[in-house]
Amino acid sequence: MLACSGGVDSSALVLALAGVPGAVELFKVIHVRHDLRPAPEADADAELAARLAARCGLGFSQISVQVASLPGNDEANARRARYDALGRVARSNDSEFVATAHQGHDQLETLLMRLARGAGPRGMAGIRERRSLGEAVCVVRPMLGLGRNECEALCAEAGHVPAHDRTNKDLSRTRAAIRARVVPALEAIAPAIRGRSLDTARAMADSDALIRRLARDLAGDAESWSRDDLRKTSPALVSELIRSAGTASGTSRELRKALRMIRDDSTEPREIRVGDVCIKVTAREVSITQRTG
């Protein structure tokens, strides 16, 4: 399954893979339609993706997701709904893989956004090259080694005019501001920074994998640990111990507050929630459990 929004990057993905021998049997284009944009714009993008699939001789499916009425961040809600939809369509088509068109500039922008938030190794691993969607479906991102300019060039060479999302020009959005103001300045100073960001993300992914293994060893079957032992343990490892106890991640602020609580000198019993994890701290002990209900 080739995820195609109709924009330049995903259009380049479809055009490139349509040239693979046997592409008609190998690939199908899937478009996820959101309700966050005016209906005429969303319809136009879907029609463009369908026309591109037809031009390339590939099958096409469309699925709609409703996120406008959901509480919380629209972009985060849309991202979750999109991946849920892609997973469902892949399973219904017996597809093992969903390819998305994230490219190198997306990776650089993501790392800069997470750097600004003070992310650790997990966050600084950026956009992963592979990601499970559950039930034997895997997202793959084959274009992380390319840049946006190469995607634009491929579309131009093919004579294809992709859709342009006007929200990309809204500089009140963090990613759009970084794309317009920060990335060009960094590339002027260090022209190879896009490629270097991919190297950094891979190194951080390796570090994150090591921390996760160590956290599993530390966790074992226990739900409580000596507070003094956790004080002497790397904060990155304790953070992963907390995350691994639940299914819903908390904010970086909540996590930092929990770490300070564990490591400070107070002997008063206290409790804090990080995502769906409950952490109880006493003078001598720390318990970490998933909350229910």
Side-chain angles (χ1 to χ4, degrees), residues 40-228:
E41 291 183 17
D43 291 340
D45 288 353
E47 183 180 345
L48 185 60
R51 288 203 306 269
L52 178 61
R55 173 186 171 184
C56 295
L58 302 179
F60 177 80
S61 290
Q62 176 182 326
I63 187 168
S64 296
V65 295
Q66 309 296 320
V67 296
S69 61
L70 297 178
N73 181 274
D74 283 345
E75 290 186 45
N77 289 335
R79 183 167 55 251
R80 284 191 293 268
R82 181 167 61 250
Y83 280 115
D84 286 345
L86 290 171
R88 291 196 304 273
V89 174
R91 284 186 285 274
S92 68
N93 283 268
D94 295 322
S95 296
E96 295 180 54
F97 300 100
V98 175
T100 67
H102 294 92
Q103 35 79 5
H105 281 102
D106 294 325
Q107 182 71 286
L108 176 57
E109 293 159 7
T110 297
L111 294 187
L112 291 171
M113 290 170 66
R114 294 182 181 178
L115 177 65
R117 294 202 300 262
R122 178 183 292 192
M124 293 305 293
I127 302 170
R128 306 290 180 126
E129 293 175 270
R130 297 171 66 95
R131 161 188 174 182
S132 172
L133 282 182
E135 296 184 41
V137 177
C138 181
V139 169
V140 293
R141 291 155 174 146
M143 296 173 61
L144 286 176
L146 303 178
R148 186 168 292 113
N149 53 324
E150 292 166 290
C151 297
E152 292 169 347
L154 192 151
C155 288
E157 185 176 348
H160 176 71
V161 180
H164 292 282
D165 187 347
R166 58 185 175 83
T167 60
N168 289 332
K169 302 296 183 182
D170 180 3
L171 299 189
S172 67
R173 299 159 66 98
T174 302
R175 183 178 290 275
I178 287 174
R179 180 176 299 175
R181 296 170 176 165
V182 180
V183 170
L186 287 174
E187 289 187 316
I189 297 169
I193 192 169
R194 176 177 58 79
R196 296 289 183 264
S197 70
L198 184 59
D199 294 338
T200 295
R202 286 170 173 162
M204 289 296 99
D206 288 343
S207 297
D208 179 49
L210 175 59
I211 290 169
R212 291 191 192 210
R213 286 199 300 273
L214 293 173
R216 286 195 296 269
D217 292 342
L218 176 61
D221 297 324
E223 289 188 350
S224 63
W225 296 265
S226 160
R227 186 178 177 190
D228 190 50

